[in-house]
Amino acid sequence: MSGNRTFTMIKPDAVADGYMGAILAQIIDAGFKVVAMKYTKLSAEKAGEFYKVHSARPFYGELVEFMSSGPIVAAILEKDNAVEDFRKLIGATNPAQAEPGTIRAKFARNIGENAIHGSDSDENATIEGAFHFAGTEIYG
Ligand code: DAT
Ligand code: MG
């Protein structure tokens, strides 16, 4: 059975571009409940650790620099079928290929600065949520 939690970050581009409120509204309107949330900034070290699965990719250095370039909103979200439904809501990695109306289609700058993160599996949702939040910061 699919899980009911996913993890997200509103990335530095979308925060800097003033889309934090619009993105949170779209997430909540789509039926996701916020069970944990913080406004924070990743160090380069933390960003590198979060994305270490991509450390061999040519864009890794750029990705780490970008993700530590400014504040983000990190959150754990709850909904039936959360991981899959949230990936649908955010759209394809490259906003040029994202379905119209998706968060990336509306708010992302480009494939590297693409407005929002969404976990790709239940297992990673758990790992990523625990990376950012202590159990006492989650109000399920
Ligand atoms: P997603 O965020 O859709 O799960 P991913 O896990 O493949 O995509 O990659 C993580 C992030 O790395 C992605 O959100 C933006 C960046 N990225 C991915 N592919 C890229 C590329 N070809 N050029 C630049 N940045 C890229
Ligand atoms: Mg991914």
Side-chain angles (χ1 to χ4, degrees):
M1 199 185 104
S2 58
N4 66 349
R5 283 186 179 179
T6 192
F7 172 77
T8 189
M9 294 181 285
I10 300 176
K11 296 186 179 182
D13 62 318
V15 172
D17 292 344
Y19 298 137
M20 187 198 309
I23 290 172
L24 288 173
Q26 186 165 348
I27 291 169
I28 292 164
D29 286 350
F32 291 87
K33 181 184 167 201
V34 174
V35 296
M37 176 171 282
K38 63 176 72 161
Y39 187 54
T40 187
K41 187 168 181 288
L42 295 173
S43 64
E45 191 188 358
K46 276 283 191 190
E49 202 183 327
F50 185 88
Y51 282 109
K52 68 174 182 285
V53 62
H54 296 301
S55 60
R57 310 279 287 274
F59 56 80
Y60 179 68
E62 223 177 289
L63 175 62
V64 169
E65 191 182 337
F66 165 63
M67 286 304 297
S68 57
S69 68
I72 62 164
V73 177
I76 298 173
L77 305 171
E78 204 164 79
K79 183 184 182 297
D80 290 345
N81 202 36
V83 166
E84 192 185 337
D85 285 2
F86 195 72
R87 293 292 304 203
K88 273 195 202 123
L89 183 70
I90 71 177
T93 307
N94 184 349
Q97 286 158 10
E99 286 288 314
T102 58
I103 290 173
R104 281 168 165 167
K106 288 163 71 176
F107 302 115
R109 291 177 181 171
N110 55 57
I111 190 172
E113 301 178 335
N114 62 0
I116 192 157
H117 169 82
S119 304
D120 63 7
S121 66
D122 290 345
E123 187 193 0
N124 283 334
T126 301
I127 292 168
E128 292 171 0
F131 184 90
H132 286 266
F133 294 97
T136 51
E137 297 176 302
I138 300 168
Y139 307 100

